[in-house]
Amino acid sequence: LAVCTTLGAPVAVRAKETLLTDMRPGDALLTAALHDLDHAPARLPQGQPLLVNFWARWCGPCKVEIPELVALHARKTGVALVGIAVENQGPPVRDFARAYDIDYPVLLARDGSGLDLMRALGNTSAGLPFTVALDRRGRIVARRLGLITREQLEQSVRLALG
């Protein structure tokens, strides 16, 4: 399947999935300098299971998986879902989120910080989409580079809930 590179050109690569039961805490993610769509500083929720999906408006596979993420959010699984747009400007991301009915929180990783953050979380190619699941202690319990399926989302939720 295609994974978007952070330069915007799709490349054919195999999706990579890592399911982990005891990885170092996702401190890089929980302390990342993120911004809301109005450019105010923002942080990810802490002390609860969390699923974070990195994406960009120009990424085809990102667009394909959005309906599954919206459906997951609607099921109220007990895992917080946050999208991190690897983009610089809030207004076009807000417009995109409305067009795709994204009803979960979306934050910005601006000025290349999203690339560094994804690399710190094990995505050495900084490809998109990229999804990370954390348990309530902030430990990374699952990662997926590439398009994520409903079954893989459900598995990530189960792992995050412990």
Side-chain angles (χ1 to χ4, degrees):
L1 77 100
V3 175
C4 292
T5 69
T6 52
L7 299 175
V11 292
V13 298
R14 289 186 159 279
K16 286 179 61 178
E17 181 174 16
T18 308
L19 297 176
L20 307 161
T21 56
D22 191 25
M23 191 172 178
R24 74 176 193 276
D27 291 339
L29 185 57
L30 296 174
T31 61
L34 302 170
H35 296 85
D36 67 19
L37 298 183
D38 294 317
H39 298 280
R43 295 269 184 226
L44 291 171
Q46 297 189 26
Q48 63 182 316
L50 180 63
L51 191 69
V52 178
N53 177 256
F54 290 84
W55 59 277
R57 293 173 295 137
W58 46 261
C59 171
C62 299
K63 295 174 187 177
V64 171
E65 70 183 12
I66 288 172
E68 288 299 339
L69 292 163
V70 170
L72 176 73
H73 185 251
R75 288 196 292 277
K76 304 202 183 308
T77 62
V79 175
L81 173 61
V82 177
I84 296 181
V86 182
E87 308 249 359
N88 286 326
Q89 298 299 317
V93 171
R94 181 182 288 111
D95 293 344
F96 179 90
R98 283 187 191 129
Y100 279 80
D101 297 322
I102 297 174
D103 60 351
Y104 50 87
V106 174
L107 301 175
L108 297 174
R110 300 183 341 200
D111 302 321
S113 66
L115 307 180
D116 293 336
L117 183 54
M118 288 189 296
R119 286 183 186 109
L121 296 169
N123 178 355
T124 57
S125 67
L128 294 170
F130 180 59
T131 305
V132 179
L134 287 82
D135 66 12
R136 69 183 71 255
R137 292 181 289 182
R139 290 183 310 156
I140 297 171
V141 294
R143 296 183 290 206
R144 174 138 183 103
L145 172 58
L147 184 67
I148 194 164
T149 66
R150 176 180 301 164
E151 293 77 22
Q152 291 160 337
L153 282 170
E154 294 297 335
Q155 184 177 26
S156 294
V157 165
R158 284 190 301 274
L159 289 168
L161 290 169

